[in-house]
Amino acid sequence: PFAPGVAQAKYSPSSWSLIVVNRWNRIPDDYPAPKLTRLSNGESVDSRIYPDLQRMFDDMRAAGLHPEVTSAKEEARRQASQWVAEPGTSEHELGLAVDINASGATGTKDSVNEHQWLADNAWRYGFILRYPRGKTDVTGNAYESWHYRYVGAEAAKAMHESGQTLEEYVK
């Protein structure tokens, strides 16, 4: 297994979208490989989240924005080794997390409008800002305005209303 010495995340097929994978909880050995949908730019996501992701992007485009998934499952291992997450502890490996920026952006300053729209609306499509400001001690990651995680409509609404992170919500 990846991330030796890191506890396995709790997983239930009935609540697949609420699995908590982070520096303290690795992907379980028996986690099923997700069926993937390849996006037009070559990135891939879990096929179960694709309809909501597409609907969200359609609405962003209708609002005059230009969203793009800049990393998803395909980039997970490379990014995991370069940044924070050890392989086996990155949500991108699940196919449930996406980094969303403006198409062609070279930095977060180029995606301010997209990130603001997402902060205000992503929950309506089942996505949460995974690493909000002031929650590093809970999530294990610093604030990332671009990192969104699919948790499903009901959970996303509840987390949006309560201000909870995924870790706090599933306790």
Side-chain angles (χ1 to χ4, degrees), residues 22 24 91 99 115 118-120 127-149 151 156 159-169:
N22 57 27
W24 305 291
E91 294 180 318
D99 291 346
H115 293 167
L118 288 164
D120 294 340
F127 290 85
I128 59 164
L129 175 64
R130 185 63 177 94
Y131 305 120
R133 280 188 171 91
K135 296 287 189 161
T136 301
D137 59 328
V138 177
T139 65
N141 277 68
Y143 169 66
E144 293 184 356
S145 59
W146 57 88
H147 186 98
Y148 279 81
R149 163 66 191 271
V151 295
M159 285 184 249
H160 173 75
E161 291 174 351
S162 69
Q164 291 178 310
T165 64
L166 180 58
E167 285 84 356
E168 293 165 323
Y169 180 77

Side-chain angles (χ1 to χ4, degrees), residues 23-104:
R23 68 178 61 239
W24 305 291
N25 301 284
R26 67 178 169 84
I27 298 170
D29 295 339
D30 61 350
Y31 187 79
K35 180 180 175 194
L36 299 175
T37 295
R38 185 169 296 279
L39 307 179
S40 61
N41 67 352
E43 299 290 347
S44 297
V45 297
D46 185 309
S47 296
R48 297 172 287 189
I49 79 168
Y50 179 74
D52 290 328
L53 179 68
Q54 186 61 53
R55 192 168 52 89
M56 183 169 72
F57 274 26
D58 288 345
D59 289 349
M60 290 179 78
R61 289 182 187 107
L65 301 171
H66 305 283
E68 179 179 51
V69 172
T70 55
S71 89
K73 188 168 172 50
E74 295 300 308
E75 292 293 314
R77 296 200 192 233
R78 181 184 63 77
Q79 287 190 356
S81 65
Q82 288 182 339
W83 299 102
V84 179
E86 215 179 312
T89 64
S90 170
E91 294 180 318
H92 287 289
E93 294 173 82
L94 300 171
L96 302 178
V98 288
D99 291 346
I100 302 171
N101 291 292
S103 181

Side-chain angles (χ1 to χ4, degrees), residues 3-15:
V6 178
Q8 292 188 51
K10 293 181 180 122
Y11 169 69
S12 167
S14 64
S15 58

